[in-house]
Amino acid sequence: MSVQRGSHGPGRLGVSDPSSWEADVVLRDGSVCHLRPIRPDDRDRVQAFHSRQSAESIYLRFFAPIKEISAKDLTRFTEVDQVDRVALVATVRDDIIGIGRYDTIRPGVAEVAFNISDHYQGKGIGSVLLEHLAAIGQELGVEEFVADVLPQNRKMMKVFTDAGYEVKHHFDDGVIAVTFQIRPTVRSELVRLSREHRSEAASIRTVVEPASVVVVGASPRVEALGHLILDNLLRGGYTGVLHAVHPTASEVLGVPCHPSVSAIGEPVDLAVVAVPASEVLGVVDDCAAAGVKSLVVASSGFAESGPEGQERQRALLQHAHANGLRVVGPNTIGVANNALHLNATVAPRLPKPGTLGLFAQSGALGVAVLDAAQRRNLGVSVFASAGNRADVSGNDLMQYFIDDPGTEAVGMHLESVGNPRKFSRIARQLAASKPVIVVKSGYSGYSVPPGHPVRPTRVPREAFDAMMTQAGVMRVENVHQLFDVAALVTSQPLPRGRRVAIVGNAHALGALTGDACLDRGLEVTHGPVSLAPEATAEAFAQALRSALEDPAVDAVLTCFIPPLVTADESIVSTVAQVAAGSDKPVLGTFLGMRGVADPRTGEGPGHVGSVPAYPMPEDAVLALDQAVRYAAWREADKGERVSYDDIDRHAAFAVIDGVLQDAPQGRALTDDEAHDLLAAYGVPVWRRVRVLSPDEAVAAAAVVGYPVMIKSVSQVLRHSPGLGALRLDLDDEEEVREAYGHLVTRFGSLGDLALVVQAMAGPGVACVVRSTEDALFGPVVSFSVAGAPTELLGDVSHRIPPLTDRDARELVTTVKAFPMLDGHRGAEPVDLAALQDVVGRVSVLADDFPEVAALELNPLNARPGGVDVLGAEITLARPGLRTDSDRRAMTG
């Protein structure tokens, strides 16, 4: 399988920076701890941690009843080089709650040990420490961990055996000797991601399923934010315990007030904070002392307000995480859960209860999203607004929605994506069982709201769209389309295919619907059936039943213009009743109506038997097309993650390490270096020889073998179509000399021609495979047919590693120029399997080594019977930390 950066064997690409090991991590119960390297000034904290441990825990860790750690041992424990001896501490409120360490005992092998606070056991801290130590060990050249464990220390054995590594153990002198390779395995990756999912979902439950809520800043002033939120909680009929905090008021809206959260005197799950920004840190301390689990910070004046606010937001997040708290916001409009009648938002009314989960980033758009859902009679389960997205993000909410039984579909309005790789990974898991509809604001820098921490990106918008498609997400352009699609997937079964029936009472409307279907690639197999405008409801019902009973129909579109005789409600009711008895989706175009229509009244909540209604056919067809594509993705074989047994990561590491030792900031590889790196991943590159004279050209031709070609690899000439800076099919010395002279005469005035001699490849289709390491997305792999499709038409497909074999296939087959590869105009099709193999190998290389800043195979000659990589350009650079690394950390 593909492995993450660091699992390349002995040595490392420079010394790892211990400051990059710091991380905030969500634990099994949804709380937060901070991981950091141990420091010499931790002596007192380590001693305090030891003094709180039970005699049993001390004995299991040290194999002896040590009441107090000696000064010598404190020095040894806290003063480490963080290379051969590495130690991490987990802290909450600056108290150490866990210590993990390894000591290298011989090259590539280290002894690992843990000690977890008795008061924090069962939260998964040992697993987190092992995960981070293993990732650090790989960075520093460790390949294997060993440990001695007492037989009665079942918890520690469980940490090792449950981690997913291939653990070997045997009894040795009264202890269990444990050993395992720390390179990630398929199982260890699944274990890590499963733990991440459970932890993050648990943390969101404390936000949207609180048993008790306190509004901090519940002012008697009606215009105050805290007053508004408390009023909405009361009006909504919140079913949990409700508290209010105000420094002087005795009560607000009939709710008794306390001067502080800690004065309440009983546990509180969620604090909604609506105080001035300057007072928020004090509230965090108060909430931490009172045992509050999560915060919803509605206060503004943070990163959206400028540099001072950015620093205030950074302090808020650091303060909250240090105290084990998660934060929604700041600058959020709040959260809601219809099942609990929880309306902890600034919106006075919530949409009706239903099965659609909603997430919005900005406050203003969050209000608009809630209002739109209400106007369309769409039922909502849970809503959350991220505000400035300092902590809780859409990724966290998706983790929650995966398991939430009350949510059957998810709609998200995103203005920024802080961790696209993680988004793609979680969205794919969610979309496997529940439809996911996403509005992503424009791709320019203007679309990122003030206060949202987002890394810059250089990839085109098409790469983001491809990521959505890869994950099974339905990408729409605006909120209207989001609810058009949501109305369908929450009220009707998913279509089983693209075959459509059209039934209406106006020929023009039916024709318009048919054209819209054809524009989107839907196949009209029944109708358009056009009844008379005055047709009765029974006639309409019979036509609908006929369409639904047609085995060549997967979905029905009804088109209805208000008649002169039959009442609108009777037609709506008829459509809904007929649809209720079918396992095929029915969509209605009822002019002037939008939302989910109730079969009894033509309006109301979306329940069984209700039908999504659209004002124009194009809206209905767009929603159906999205549902058809999603249903096909959901039913399709997702493929297997590409992996190759013949990859030599050690050889690749040697090339990359050698270059970065010589040029720490990176550089372009020579032809020989690129050849060696790609060869390590099973991608052979045809040799090309740089020549500076006719004699050198002749000598090079003799080496590579006739027939040969001479071409310029100058960046100026390569990307200037029509100049023809190459000569092909040169069969002997005379032709080589003549060709060399011709190229120099014609193009010599343009500067360095950078002429090379290369063996002549057989007929084929020139293609381009690229990989780019992006600061935001990580690796992005692209494919295109060379020449005009790439350079003029932008016909390029993109995918985000790790790829499955299906992803690799679609990367090749989804370009518009694909017919050129598949036997266009009678040509023999190229070897698609060989082409996909190269794409897959490049994706694994890009995923394994973020040091590969840019890679381009150009040209890649695809032909019947194989592919020939005729040119390769690779640039290495010192990488930044990927947003979705191989250790759990809160990175959005």
Side-chain angles (χ1 to χ4, degrees):
M1 66 163 282
S2 172
V3 296
Q4 293 287 340
R5 172 177 180 247
S7 32
H8 317 305
R12 186 57 205 137
L13 306 176
V15 177
S16 184
D17 177 13
S19 66
S20 68
W21 304 345
E22 291 205 35
D24 294 323
V25 181
V26 184
L27 300 176
R28 184 177 298 158
D29 65 346
S31 63
V32 178
C33 78
H34 181 67
L35 258 60
R36 62 169 173 81
I38 204 167
R39 303 189 301 253
D41 65 4
D42 282 326
R43 294 171 63 96
D44 291 343
R45 296 184 188 90
V46 172
Q47 190 71 270
F49 167 81
H50 182 81
S51 68
R52 293 191 295 267
Q53 293 293 81
S54 66
E56 180 186 17
S57 293
I58 292 171
Y59 184 79
L60 292 176
R61 168 62 182 90
F62 295 104
F63 299 4
I66 300 174
K67 292 185 177 181
E68 184 175 290
I69 302 176
S70 68
K72 179 180 179 181
D73 282 342
L74 280 175
T75 299
R76 181 167 62 88
F77 291 159
T78 59
E79 296 183 14
V80 296
D81 60 13
Q82 302 293 18
V83 178
D84 292 320
R85 299 178 61 233
V86 171
L88 301 177
V89 294
T91 65
V92 172
R93 302 185 191 94
D94 207 32
D95 290 332
I96 293 176
I97 62 170
I99 303 173
R101 61 191 314 114
Y102 75 70
D103 293 85
T104 304
I105 55 178
R106 58 181 180 273
V109 180
E111 183 175 17
V112 66
F114 306 98
N115 198 2
I116 309 303
S117 168
D118 290 343
H119 303 291
Y120 283 85
Q121 290 187 11
K123 294 178 180 284
I125 298 169
S127 299
V128 168
L129 285 168
L130 175 60
E131 184 180 298
H132 281 249
L133 286 172
I136 292 166
Q138 291 172 83
E139 291 181 1
L140 297 175
V142 177
E143 297 179 320
E144 181 178 272
F145 276 171
V146 300
D148 287 338
V149 182
L150 289 173
Q152 61 266 45
N153 196 350
R154 295 185 181 88
K155 291 180 180 179
M156 189 54 58
M157 282 299 301
K158 189 172 176 61
V159 169
F160 292 132
T161 57
D162 288 357
Y165 299 107
E166 296 180 4
V167 177
K168 300 176 182 178
H169 55 85
H170 64 276
F171 284 96
D172 184 10
D173 195 22
V175 300
I176 303 175
V178 175
T179 178
F180 56 94
Q181 297 287 315
I182 61 175
R183 171 180 290 180
T185 65
V186 172
R187 183 164 174 262
S188 72
E189 284 288 281
L190 291 175
V191 167
R192 177 176 68 87
L193 297 179
S194 176
R195 286 171 172 167
E196 174 194 71
H197 162 66
R198 290 197 304 269
S199 298
E200 293 179 355
S203 74
I204 299 304
R205 284 190 199 99
T206 67
V207 175
V208 298
E209 299 179 13
S212 53
V213 175
V214 57
V215 178
V216 183
S219 172
R221 294 183 297 109
V222 295
E223 70 275 13
L225 181 61
H227 185 101
L228 174 62
I229 295 173
L230 182 62
D231 190 33
N232 289 341
L233 281 163
L234 291 168
R235 288 174 181 271
Y238 171 53
T239 58
V241 179
L242 186 59
H243 303 281
V245 167
H246 188 276
T248 58
S250 59
E251 59 86 24
V252 174
L253 294 171
V255 179
C257 278
H258 302 271
S260 66
V261 179
S262 54
I264 295 173
E266 60 184 70
V268 178
D269 285 344
L270 177 68
V272 181
V273 181
V275 301
S278 59
E279 300 176 16
V280 169
L281 289 187
V283 171
V284 173
D285 286 337
D286 183 31
C287 288
V292 170
K293 297 177 180 178
S294 295
L295 304 172
V296 170
V297 181
S299 310
S300 58
F302 289 87
E304 83 284 356
S305 64
E308 184 178 345
Q310 289 176 354
E311 179 58 28
R312 186 180 292 121
Q313 182 167 306
R314 185 200 63 77
L316 164 63
L317 185 62
Q318 185 179 49
H319 222 56
H321 285 178
N323 285 283
L325 303 173
R326 295 222 67 180
V327 179
V328 179
N331 197 32
T332 173
I333 68 163
V335 299
N337 184 342
N338 265 322
L340 302 179
H341 300 282
L342 172 72
N343 182 10
T345 77
V346 300
R349 292 181 305 277
L350 293 179
K352 296 173 182 180
T355 60
L356 178 65
L358 285 175
F359 172 83
Q361 285 184 341
S362 89
L365 283 170
V367 172
V369 164
L370 288 174
D371 181 63
Q374 185 179 26
R375 283 186 286 104
R376 295 202 185 200
N377 299 312
L378 274 170
V380 170
S381 57
V382 169
F383 165 81
S385 160
N388 289 359
R389 193 173 52 77
D391 179 12
V392 170
S393 70
N395 290 343
D396 296 294
L397 265 294
M398 285 195 297
Q399 297 277 38
Y400 170 80
F401 286 136
I402 287 170
D403 298 327
D404 179 31
T407 297
E408 297 178 2
V410 174
M412 308 181 76
H413 190 288
L414 305 177
E415 295 169 272
S416 63
V417 180
N419 191 342
R421 278 168 63 87
K422 184 173 180 179
F423 176 91
S424 176
R425 171 167 56 78
I426 301 172
R428 183 183 294 225
Q429 183 181 357
L430 176 59
S433 60
K434 301 177 182 182
V436 182
I437 315 149
V438 170
V439 179
K440 170 65 173 70
S441 298
Y443 201 72
S444 71
Y446 300 111
S447 67
V448 179
H452 282 224
V454 178
R455 301 186 186 195
T457 180
R458 295 180 291 118
V459 303
R461 171 178 176 164
E462 290 76 14
F464 182 85
D465 293 339
M467 180 190 76
M468 294 286 192
T469 300
Q470 193 175 347
V473 169
M474 291 178 274
R475 167 77 189 276
V476 294
E477 296 299 322
N478 51 54
V479 173
H480 293 300
Q481 292 179 2
L482 185 155
F483 287 117
D484 283 344
V485 178
L488 171 58
V489 298
T490 58
S491 66
Q492 295 289 300
L494 291 173
R496 290 192 289 265
R498 307 188 68 80
R499 302 170 301 175
V500 178
I502 301 173
V503 178
N505 68 346
H507 175 77
L509 198 55
L512 191 63
T513 305
D515 288 343
C517 287
L518 295 178
D519 285 345
R520 291 193 170 271
L522 299 175
E523 183 183 356
V524 179
T525 57
H526 186 108
V529 175
S530 182
L531 303 176
E534 65 274 11
T536 65
E538 180 53 38
F540 213 78
Q542 182 56 43
L544 284 175
R545 291 191 192 100
S546 176
L548 288 167
E549 291 168 0
D550 187 343
V553 169
D554 299 308
V556 175
L557 290 163
T558 65
C559 317
F560 175 73
I561 292 177
L564 300 176
V565 180
T566 307
D568 292 7
E569 307 87 66
S570 66
I571 294 296
V572 172
S573 179
T574 296
V575 172
Q577 289 169 8
V578 173
S582 175
D583 61 354
K584 299 176 182 179
V586 177
L587 298 79
T589 297
F590 304 130
L591 295 190
M593 184 183 296
R594 190 170 209 152
V596 179
D598 185 282
R600 296 164 300 185
T601 65
E603 57 187 356
H607 53 71
V608 175
S610 57
V611 170
Y614 304 90
M616 291 298 292
E618 294 87 351
D619 303 316
V621 171
L622 180 146
L624 179 59
D625 179 47
Q626 288 280 5
V628 165
R629 293 174 186 273
Y630 167 68
W633 176 89
R634 185 158 152 177
E635 292 299 318
D637 179 8
K638 305 301 185 294
E640 298 291 332
R641 183 167 170 173
V642 293
S643 61
Y644 305 93
D645 295 334
D646 59 347
I647 287 176
D648 188 347
R649 291 181 174 85
H650 285 263
F653 170 85
V655 173
I656 295 173
D657 191 38
V659 170
L660 293 182
Q661 292 290 350
D662 175 64
Q665 299 309 310
R667 62 169 172 80
L669 300 190
T670 65
D671 282 354
D672 288 342
E673 290 167 340
H675 176 278
D676 291 344
L677 178 57
L678 288 166
Y681 273 72
V683 181
V685 182
W686 283 34
R687 185 179 181 187
R688 62 186 186 185
V689 182
R690 178 78 177 266
V691 295
L692 299 174
S693 70
D695 289 340
E696 289 186 7
V698 169
V703 171
V704 301
Y706 289 101
V708 300
M709 63 186 296
I710 301 180
K711 64 180 179 181
S712 171
V713 293
S714 161
Q715 293 297 317
V716 174
L717 295 175
R718 280 184 60 194
H719 300 291
S720 299
L723 289 182
L726 77 164
R727 294 290 296 274
L728 308 175
D729 292 312
L730 308 176
D731 293 319
D732 54 37
E733 177 179 333
E734 181 179 350
E735 289 185 354
V736 169
R737 290 184 182 277
E738 186 276 330
Y740 184 93
H742 169 80
L743 292 173
V744 170
T745 299
R746 184 173 181 185
F747 301 107
S749 61
L750 298 178
D752 181 19
L753 291 181
L755 294 178
V756 298
V757 173
Q758 192 171 46
M760 218 21 233
V765 180
C767 301
V768 182
V769 175
R770 292 190 178 96
S771 173
T772 303
E773 180 71 21
D774 185 71
L776 179 61
F777 282 76
V780 179
V781 177
S782 307
F783 173 83
S784 60
V785 173
T790 298
E791 297 167 5
L792 300 180
L793 303 179
D795 181 21
V796 182
S797 60
H798 309 273
R799 290 294 185 274
I800 311 296
L803 303 187
T804 65
D805 50 5
R806 177 186 175 181
D807 294 328
R809 180 172 63 253
E810 291 182 346
L811 194 61
V812 172
T813 59
T814 54
V815 292
K816 294 183 177 64
F818 173 68
M820 297 177 63
L821 304 170
D822 198 34
H824 183 56
R825 292 188 174 181
E828 187 175 355
V830 307
D831 189 339
L832 292 178
L835 189 55
Q836 292 161 23
D837 181 75
V838 171
V839 167
R841 290 175 182 275
V842 168
S843 76
V844 175
L845 171 61
D847 203 27
D848 284 354
F849 289 96
E851 293 84 1
V852 180
L855 179 153
E856 180 176 299
L857 306 184
N858 184 15
L860 185 153
N861 183 52
R863 55 178 173 76
V867 295
D868 310 309
V869 181
L870 305 180
E873 296 182 3
I874 301 176
T875 299
L876 302 184
R878 184 70 62 183
L881 185 66
R882 281 183 177 169
T883 54
D884 195 29
S885 65
D886 53 356
R887 67 194 82 169
R888 279 177 284 168
M890 298 171 69
T891 54

